Amino acid sequence: MTQAEMAEYRELVADKALICAVKTIQEINRAQDLQAYSRHPKISHKFGEKYCIKMSFSLHTGKACEGPIGSEFKVDAIYISKEIQIGARIDQLCDLYNREILLSNDLYMMLSERAKE
């Protein structure tokens, strides 16, 4: 794969990551069954009347190592890298700034011009 093809591929992946986050948020907001669930008496009693279901997305790019952790009965995947930590910090900023999607500059620079607009 040439460098130009690799850059085009990365741009496509970055655009699709952003599109996926936007579409997921739209579907959560449209899902009547999720909204009804959030108003269920057991839920509203535990979390309050203003409880609603929402997600946030922190989009970043970089390398990570994946490995199994657990026992012979239950195994989970674990991801380790400084990029994972950056993504977690960006997600905390979603709460701080009350935003559903935040991008790192690294991912933003990978986006196509159309996606940046």
Side-chain angles (χ1 to χ4, degrees):
M1 191 177 269
T2 67
Q3 282 188 323
E5 291 171 331
M6 183 61 83
E8 187 176 318
Y9 176 74
R10 288 179 181 209
E11 184 177 277
L12 178 67
V13 170
D15 287 359
K16 286 187 175 189
L18 180 58
I19 290 167
C20 178
V22 170
K23 284 187 173 187
T24 301
I25 290 169
Q26 287 176 332
E27 290 302 316
I28 288 172
N29 291 337
R30 280 190 208 135
Q32 296 299 319
D33 54 340
L34 284 178
Q35 301 309 323
Y37 180 75
S38 67
R39 291 186 298 273
H40 189 277
K42 288 184 179 180
I43 298 295
S44 61
H45 173 71
K46 186 170 184 173
F47 296 105
E49 294 294 324
K50 294 185 179 184
Y51 174 77
C52 66
I53 296 170
K54 67 179 191 173
M55 292 180 73
S56 63
F57 292 86
S58 59
L59 302 178
H60 182 59
T61 183
K63 294 181 181 180
C65 294
E66 175 190 14
I69 188 168
S71 68
E72 62 184 85
F73 301 107
K74 184 175 187 305
V75 177
D76 289 326
I78 186 168
Y79 300 91
I80 302 171
S81 76
K82 67 178 183 176
E83 279 79 11
I84 299 294
Q85 296 300 316
I86 291 169
R89 289 184 190 132
I90 294 170
D91 193 50
Q92 291 172 342
L93 293 174
C94 285
D95 292 337
L96 181 67
Y97 293 115
N98 194 26
R99 296 289 175 245
E100 295 171 317
I101 301 172
L102 284 178
L103 314 174
S104 69
N105 187 60
D106 292 343
L107 190 105
Y108 177 80
M109 295 309 293
M110 287 174 59
L111 292 172
S112 67
E113 290 304 316
R114 184 173 182 204
K116 287 177 182 178
E117 291 174 11

